[in-house]
Amino acid sequence: MLLVLAIIVLVGLFAYFKFYRPAPGPKLPPPSGDELSIHVLDAGQGDAILIVAPGGKTALVDASVPGSGKKILAALARYGVDHIDLLIATHPHADHIGAADEVIKGTTVKTVLDSKVPNTTKNYEDFLEAIEDKGVQYVGAEPGQTFDLSSGVIISVLAPIQPLFTKDQLRSGGNEPNANSVVTRLDYGEFSIMLTGDAEVQTEARMMEGGSRLAATVLKVGHHGSKYASSEDFLRQGKFKAAVISCGADNRYGHPSQEVLDRLRAANVRIYRTDLQGEITIKTRGKEDYQITTEREAPADAIATGRKAQKDDSAKSGFIQYGDFGPAPKASPKAKAANNSSR
Amino acid sequence: MAGKKHSQKTSAGDEVRAVVDRIEDGDIAVLGLDDEAKTQLDVPLARLPKGANSDGDHLILKFAVDAKSGERKLKSIKAAPAAARADASDRVKKMQARLARMSGAEDKKDFKV
């Protein structure tokens, strides 16, 4: 009898520690009770999320596509923001750091948090050069770091987790910058939001295995709603009440995918989309109640309907025929110099 | 962007350097062009040359420019010399290391911003 009881207790303890024990995290300060606002900007097929803490401290998570700097700076002006305390560059793709150099040049940025996963694009080089030119503090992301925005607002880094993912560990077509995205969570009293960059299922799995604190009020859906992100397990552990998908109305990548929308709906998560509803604003005073408002309304069936990825029809003429192409390129000074020296 | 046609009248820039910024769902390669506007161009992945079809690979794009309309059409995509990627990678890593050193924030965990 005693042996049976001991086994039951042991099984119970195992189950508690494996499945229910709250993941360890930083000791969180109490919320000031004043309003925190989070603006998921409608900046095309890219992420740009402005966070304004009650005491006036600010963070910007990503800076969308090249050329969207004006739009982002206009949003800062609209909300009376004259500086960014923390710019989080989740990863070095152009739909996340595209206008980061424009933002750094156009306002005062105090600290940049970077995944430190390198990319060899002009875009990423320009971003690093802007950091150097403006003397911005540059921090490489590591799990366990916390950024205190005062008034009880804390941003904690959950990923990238070392050792970083390498190409051979990823699905076909997957890439290291996405898999090693900076994933953070913001806590303010009883409110929290997960900010996942372009992290996909393998990153979610690693965070779950590592016991990261994933339960949050709101999810910024990973990789613009790609079918390769937001697994059922992740959504179950996250217990999210609402999800925001940041994507462009004209994207041809199939974002958001029907699969992810279905998974979110099955998990009873309320969905918001920048491509259909424009800018999405979340406001909270740190209690369980929070408000989400959108720039415009969209029918529920449209919100629940995904996009299809465009397929290669290069047998005819390919995507280029569709003309996703701006004015003729003027060579950058660097490219001109390279060309001259190679002639 | 899809469906939009640009017909800028110009005959400039028939050869442009580009880098594969990323591969998106649907096997679409997003190229970042080395021009002032940092133009992004979606190209079917299958159109990239073998050995230069991953993130960070450097390419040379050639365009034909219609003298009348100024409209450009992509003629060819070639892999850039391997040194282009290696040089850029080297520059970026050095810059990252320099910035991290200057910030003095290595090993710091708690930041009051």
Side-chain angles (χ1 to χ4, degrees), chain A residues 239-294:
Chain A
K239 298 178 190 142
F240 310 110
K241 294 187 172 77
V244 180
I245 301 173
S246 175
C247 61
D250 49 10
N251 81 80
R252 49 168 69 101
Y253 317 129
H255 296 160
S257 68
Q258 191 59 55
E259 291 97 318
V260 164
L261 295 174
D262 291 345
R263 289 201 286 267
L264 288 166
R265 291 177 74 206
N268 275 326
V269 183
R270 180 141 194 193
I271 302 165
Y272 296 85
R273 291 171 52 171
T274 58
D275 58 334
L276 300 175
Q277 296 166 291
E279 185 175 313
I280 294 160
T281 299
I282 306 162
K283 288 187 175 176
T284 177
R285 290 181 182 276
K287 301 284 179 197
E288 266 201 13
D289 60 323
Y290 59 93
Q291 299 83 44
I292 301 183
T293 54
T294 61

Side-chain angles (χ1 to χ4, degrees), chain A residues 1-23:
Chain A
M1 185 66 183
L2 271 176
L3 184 66
V4 173
L5 269 176
I7 290 171
I8 290 170
V9 168
L10 280 174
V11 168
L13 280 173
F14 175 78
Y16 172 79
F17 281 102
K18 177 82 181 163
F19 301 109
Y20 300 110
R21 186 172 59 116

Side-chain angles (χ1 to χ4, degrees), chain A residues 45 57-58 65-67 85-86 92-95 98 101-102 111 114 116-126 128-129 131-132 136-139 142-150 167 171 173-175 177-178 198 200 223-224 226-228 250 252-255 309-314 316-336 339 342, chain B residues 1-47 53-58 61 63 65 70-75 77 84-113:
Chain A
Q45 179 62 17
K57 296 278 184 186
T58 56
V65 293
D85 291 292
L86 176 65
H93 283 157
D95 53 339
D101 61 329
E102 298 166 43
T111 299
D114 187 28
K116 283 188 83 179
V117 175
N119 199 359
T120 62
T121 55
K122 170 176 165 49
N123 210 201
Y124 188 63
E125 280 196 62
D126 286 353
L128 294 180
E129 275 172 15
I131 292 170
E132 188 162 40
V136 180
Q137 183 185 39
Y138 178 82
V139 179
E142 282 173 32
Q145 287 168 331
T146 59
F147 294 83
D148 186 345
L149 296 188
S150 316
K167 192 96 182 161
R171 66 172 173 85
N175 58 66
N178 282 354
D198 274 2
E200 296 184 344
H223 199 180
H224 318 283
S226 162
K227 64 183 175 185
Y228 299 112
D250 49 10
R252 49 168 69 101
Y253 317 129
H255 296 160
Q310 201 168 317
K311 286 293 167 193
D312 179 8
D313 62 352
S314 57
K316 297 176 196 160
S317 49
F319 296 127
I320 293 103
Q321 181 67 20
Y322 305 144
D324 188 13
F325 215 9
K330 291 175 195 156
S332 67
K334 224 187 272 170
K336 269 183 196 162
N339 279 343
S342 65
Chain B
M1 280 180 278
K4 205 191 283 178
K5 278 205 168 188
H6 300 272
S7 55
Q8 194 84 5
K9 287 200 173 188
T10 175
S11 61
D14 63 345
E15 188 172 299
V16 186
R17 294 263 177 164
V19 181
V20 182
D21 182 66
R22 62 192 188 275
I23 311 297
E24 284 288 5
D25 301 357
D27 289 340
I28 299 166
V30 183
L31 310 185
L33 271 58
D34 191 0
D35 59 14
E36 277 180 352
K38 286 178 246 174
T39 308
Q40 290 189 86
L41 178 63
D42 289 349
V43 176
L45 181 59
R47 284 190 161 205
N53 53 8
S54 294
D55 302 53
D57 282 338
H58 285 231
L61 311 185
F63 296 94
V65 184
E71 206 163 86
R72 290 173 302 147
K73 282 193 176 160
L74 190 56
K75 259 170 57 181
I77 305 175
R85 180 180 178 143
D87 289 351
S89 177
D90 191 44
R91 265 197 318 272
V92 162
K93 282 179 185 163
K94 278 184 182 155
M95 218 184 308
Q96 283 179 324
R98 193 166 62 238
L99 288 170
R101 239 186 355 259
M102 277 162 47
S103 77
E106 283 159 327
D107 303 324
K108 194 173 166 187
K109 282 284 182 191
D110 301 315
F111 295 81
K112 189 113 183 139
V113 297

